[in-house]
Amino acid sequence: MAEAMGIASASIYACFGSKADLFRQVMEVYGTTYGGPPRRALNEHPTTRAAIHAMLRATADQVTITDAPHYCMLILAAPTGAVENHAVRESLADIRRSQFTEIRDRFVRGVAAGDLDMSDAGLDAIARYYATVVQGLSVQARDGADRAELEAVITCAMAGWDTLLDARAPLPGPQR
């Protein structure tokens, strides 16, 4: 990379500290640029359902941008690898965990505002489900799914909304 840009690697290290530090800074910019629309969607819509739906659609838009790689670097960069990349993998995992937290926080706000009629008991599972759908959209795009195919996945994910949020129906799995 340094050679292709005509920059000495010493200059890169002097500016960024290390490859890992450079990667973290790239991910910050990437997160702001490509992660901004889905994050904004969570906050700009009056209902939680509309916010989640818009977030999924914004994600599909971002991972299928023309003239850009069809995937999310956050999901697919360094999930595995050498031991020396542990700090980078953990940094990426922290960002992915923050996505889950942002989605969960939107559900909590919906409950507090009376938009959702449910207890906090199932919010972790539902938020994790939608975070998994977000991450899956990226993997599907990487494997060649186009925007229309991702929209079909989003339609399926939203079709389960009422069942997932039915406070009378217990969610499978451990509850907190």
Side-chain angles (χ1 to χ4, degrees):
M1 175 176 86
E3 186 176 312
M5 294 173 33
I7 302 170
S9 57
S11 296
I12 292 174
Y13 290 121
C15 184
F16 296 104
S18 69
K19 287 180 191 177
D21 290 337
L22 171 59
F23 184 77
R24 280 193 223 30
Q25 290 180 38
V26 165
M27 288 309 299
E28 285 178 31
V29 171
Y30 180 85
T32 301
T33 304
Y34 291 99
R39 194 175 306 105
R40 281 191 300 277
L42 282 175
N43 296 308
E44 291 177 349
H45 292 272
T47 67
T48 306
R49 187 183 200 291
I52 296 297
H53 193 192
M55 175 201 61
L56 294 175
R57 296 188 85 213
T59 298
D61 290 343
Q62 293 304 111
V63 298
T64 58
I65 291 174
T66 305
D67 299 328
H70 284 193
Y71 60 88
C72 171
M73 190 162 61
L74 171 64
I75 304 304
L76 298 172
T80 60
V83 173
E84 62 269 14
N85 292 329
H86 177 75
V88 170
R89 286 194 318 273
E90 272 307 302
S91 176
L92 293 171
D94 286 344
I95 296 169
R96 289 189 300 270
R97 284 187 283 268
S98 75
Q99 287 179 323
F100 160 75
T101 300
E102 288 180 42
I103 293 168
R104 187 184 190 290
D105 289 349
R106 182 59 179 98
F107 278 98
V108 169
R109 288 193 314 271
V111 169
D115 173 41
L116 300 175
D117 182 23
M118 64 180 297
S119 71
D120 283 354
L123 292 183
D124 279 358
I126 296 168
R128 194 164 304 283
Y129 168 75
Y130 283 105
T132 300
V133 173
V134 166
Q135 293 170 7
L137 291 171
S138 180
V139 173
Q140 289 295 306
R142 172 61 179 91
D143 290 346
D146 64 21
R147 181 62 179 80
E149 291 167 319
L150 297 183
E151 188 63 40
V153 171
I154 293 166
T155 298
C156 291
M158 294 311 296
W161 182 266
D162 291 335
T163 300
L164 290 170
L165 276 75
D166 185 347
R168 296 175 301 267
L171 292 171
Q175 300 295 309
R176 289 186 178 175

